[in-house]
Amino acid sequence: MTLEELVRPNILNLSPYTCARNEFTGEARAWLDANENSRITGLNRYPDPLQTKVKEQLGKYRNVSPERIFLGVGSDECIDIAYRVFCRPGIDNVVAIEPTYGMYQVCADINDIEYRRVSLRKDFSLDSEALLSACDNNTKIIWICTPNNPTGNAFSREQLCDICNRFNGITVIDEAYIDFSTKGSMTEYLDSFPNLIVMQTFSKAWASAAIRLGISYASSSIIDIYNKVKYPYNINELTQRQALKVLDDITHIEETTQEILDARDNLITELETIDNIVLGIYPSDANFILVKVTEADAIYNYLRDCGVIVRNRSRVHLCGNCLRITVGNTEENRLLIDKLSDYGNNR
Ligand code: PMP
C-alpha cells in the first residue's frame, strides 16, 4: 500500500502547529519570537524542535541520513506515534508476535486498536506464515521485536526481509537490543522497503535510559509525517545535550557492550552449574537471559527477599517457570549467583 493509503486521513490532511523555532533558524541578534525569558540560565530558550545536531551525529554513526530519523521521548513515543499516524481507532488492527514487549499492546489499547497476537513456536522461532495469515485489509502494522523481549533471541534478516516483502502495510522492527546481537540492523534495508520502520533506543547499550530518547528510522516521507504529529519540542534540551555527549564517546559504549556480553557468557556458565534449580537457559542476543527454573514464583520471592530483583515471566505465554534476568555489574551478578547457589544447596 502507498503511504497515502496507509496514513489516517485526518493525519494526511493535518495542518501542523508551527513553533517559533521552526519558522526561523539561523543566527539572530535578538530572539524576540517565542515569548521566552531572556534571562540567561542555560535553559531559558526552547530546544531545537528537530534535534538537528543529534540526528547528524546519530546518522553518521548508524549510516542513515538525518531526514530519515525521528527522535521520541523513549521508544514509548515511537510506538505511540505509529498508532496515531497509521491506525484508525475502532477500525484498524495490528499484528504482533507473542510473547513480546508489552508496550505494543498497551498503546494499541490506549488508541482503541485491535491487537492480534501470533504465537512464536515453542523454540521461540518466528512463524512467518502464521504472522502473515493473521493480517487482513485493515492490518496497518506488524510489530516484530528483535532481539525479542522477553525471549532474548533475534530473528534472521532474511526472514524479516521476507515479511517486509510480503506484507503491504507497515512493518516495525524494534531493535532496542540490537547492539548486543551479532545479527545486523535492518536499517540497511530502509531503501529497499519504503514501509519499513526500525526502532532503536538510547536506553540499553547506550546506558542512557534516564534521558528518555528513542529512535525511529524510516523513509523521509514517514519521518515528515511523524514530525507533523509530534509535540513541537518533544525532546528537551538536557536530553539533546546528553545525547551528543554519548555519541561523542561511542568507542567507550562499544567497549562496555563487549564487557556486558562477556559478563553474560560468564553468568550463563555459572547458572548452568546450579542445575538442581536451573533447568535451562535460552540462547540470548541481548543483555538479559531467560532462565527456566524449577519453581519460578518461589525463587523470585526468595531472590526479592535477598534484595535481588529479577523479572518473573512465568505467567507469560510460552515462558512457564521462567525468570528474565538482566546482566548486571560484577557485584550484582556475583550476588545473584551466590544467592541462587545457597537456594540450590538448601533444597
Ligand atoms: N523496546 C523494547 C523491546 C524494550 O524491551 C524496551 C524496554 N524494556 C523498550 C523498547 C523501551 O525503551 P525506551 O526506554 O526507549 O522507552
Side-chain angles (χ1 to χ4, degrees):
M1 278 191 270
T2 63
L3 210 49
E4 285 66 33
E5 291 167 303
L6 284 167
V7 173
R8 291 166 63 196
N10 59 312
I11 300 297
L12 266 185
N13 298 327
L14 182 72
S15 305
Y17 175 73
T18 54
C19 59
R21 289 298 122 83
N22 263 342
E23 272 186 5
F24 179 83
T25 48
E27 292 306 310
R29 292 171 66 193
W31 289 104
L32 304 176
D33 57 345
N35 298 347
E36 296 152 333
N37 191 315
S38 59
R39 186 168 64 85
I40 296 169
T41 64
L43 293 169
N44 54 314
R45 298 292 176 193
Y46 283 105
D48 175 359
L50 292 172
Q51 311 95 26
T52 316
K53 287 188 188 136
V54 180
K55 287 178 185 172
E56 257 169 39
Q57 295 308 316
L58 176 62
K60 259 188 223 155
Y61 182 66
R62 292 299 200 197
N63 201 19
V64 178
S65 58
E67 64 277 9
R68 291 184 153 197
I69 303 176
F70 169 81
L71 295 176
V73 180
S75 304
D76 302 329
E77 183 178 4
C78 297
I79 295 167
D80 189 57
I81 201 167
Y83 283 106
R84 293 198 292 144
V85 164
F86 297 110
C87 301
R88 293 166 298 174
I91 302 172
D92 290 329
N93 68 73
V94 301
V95 169
I97 56 173
E98 176 80 2
T100 196
Y101 180 47
M103 276 304 281
Y104 315 138
Q105 160 122 48
V106 173
C107 285
D109 293 346
I110 291 170
N111 287 286
D112 192 18
I113 306 301
E114 184 195 346
Y115 184 86
R116 300 182 176 181
R117 295 178 204 86
V118 175
S119 179
L120 294 176
R121 299 194 189 96
K122 281 209 172 84
D123 62 357
F124 300 148
S125 62
L126 172 56
D127 183 345
S128 305
E129 304 310 318
L131 198 71
L132 292 165
S133 49
C135 300
D136 63 18
N137 288 340
N138 288 334
T139 304
K140 290 295 180 61
I141 299 174
I142 290 182
W143 293 100
I144 301 176
C145 181
T146 181
N148 187 34
N149 176 5
T151 57
N153 58 315
F155 307 111
S156 76
R157 291 198 294 181
E158 291 70 39
Q159 187 173 20
L160 299 174
C161 285
D162 176 57
I163 292 167
C164 291
N165 255 325
R166 294 164 63 192
F167 177 54
N168 61 13
I170 299 286
T171 306
V172 183
I173 308 287
D174 183 350
E175 295 186 346
Y177 300 97
I178 194 68
D179 293 296
F180 301 107
S181 170
T182 49
K183 308 224 167 57
S185 170
M186 285 293 286
T187 49
E188 221 176 276
Y189 299 100
L190 286 169
D191 274 340
S192 320
F193 304 114
N195 293 350
L196 169 65
I197 299 177
V198 179
M199 285 174 39
Q200 292 175 356
T201 176
F202 276 63
S203 297
K204 308 296 174 184
W206 293 6
S208 306
I211 71 172
R212 310 305 302 129
L213 196 56
I215 309 156
S216 290
Y217 305 98
S219 71
S220 55
S221 325
I222 292 179
I223 300 301
D224 286 348
I225 297 170
Y226 274 21
N227 285 337
K228 281 198 332 185
V229 172
K230 77 181 183 74
Y231 292 154
Y233 301 106
N234 60 330
I235 308 300
N236 73 68
E237 176 66 24
L238 293 172
T239 292
Q240 294 192 43
R241 281 186 207 162
Q242 185 60 26
L244 286 169
K245 276 196 197 156
V246 171
L247 288 161
D248 213 32
D249 199 14
I250 210 78
T251 328
H252 177 59
I253 300 269
E254 286 168 353
E255 284 161 12
T256 53
T257 301
Q258 190 51 51
E259 282 165 21
I260 293 170
L261 294 179
D262 294 343
R264 181 185 70 191
D265 292 345
N266 290 338
L267 193 60
I268 293 172
T269 310
E270 298 220 49
L271 282 170
E272 277 169 348
T273 64
I274 316 174
D275 55 3
N276 58 340
I277 52 171
V278 172
L279 301 179
I281 301 169
Y282 290 96
S284 169
D285 293 289
N287 65 336
F288 59 85
I289 46 179
L290 190 69
V291 183
K292 199 181 243 336
V293 294
T294 44
E295 34 184 13
D297 288 345
I299 295 169
Y300 172 82
N301 290 337
Y302 159 80
L303 285 174
R304 184 199 56 206
D305 293 345
C306 298
V308 179
I309 316 301
V310 299
R311 197 96 149 107
N312 186 355
R313 298 283 78 186
S314 55
R315 273 170 259 312
V316 169
H317 179 64
L318 301 182
C319 299
N321 269 323
C322 284
L323 301 176
R324 194 195 71 195
I325 302 177
T326 308
V327 178
N329 63 28
T330 312
E331 295 74 47
E332 290 170 323
N333 298 339
R334 186 75 266 141
L335 185 64
L336 170 82
I337 295 294
D338 288 350
K339 293 300 171 191
L340 279 179
S341 303
D342 289 350
Y343 186 95
N345 291 337
N346 291 329
R347 285 185 85 229

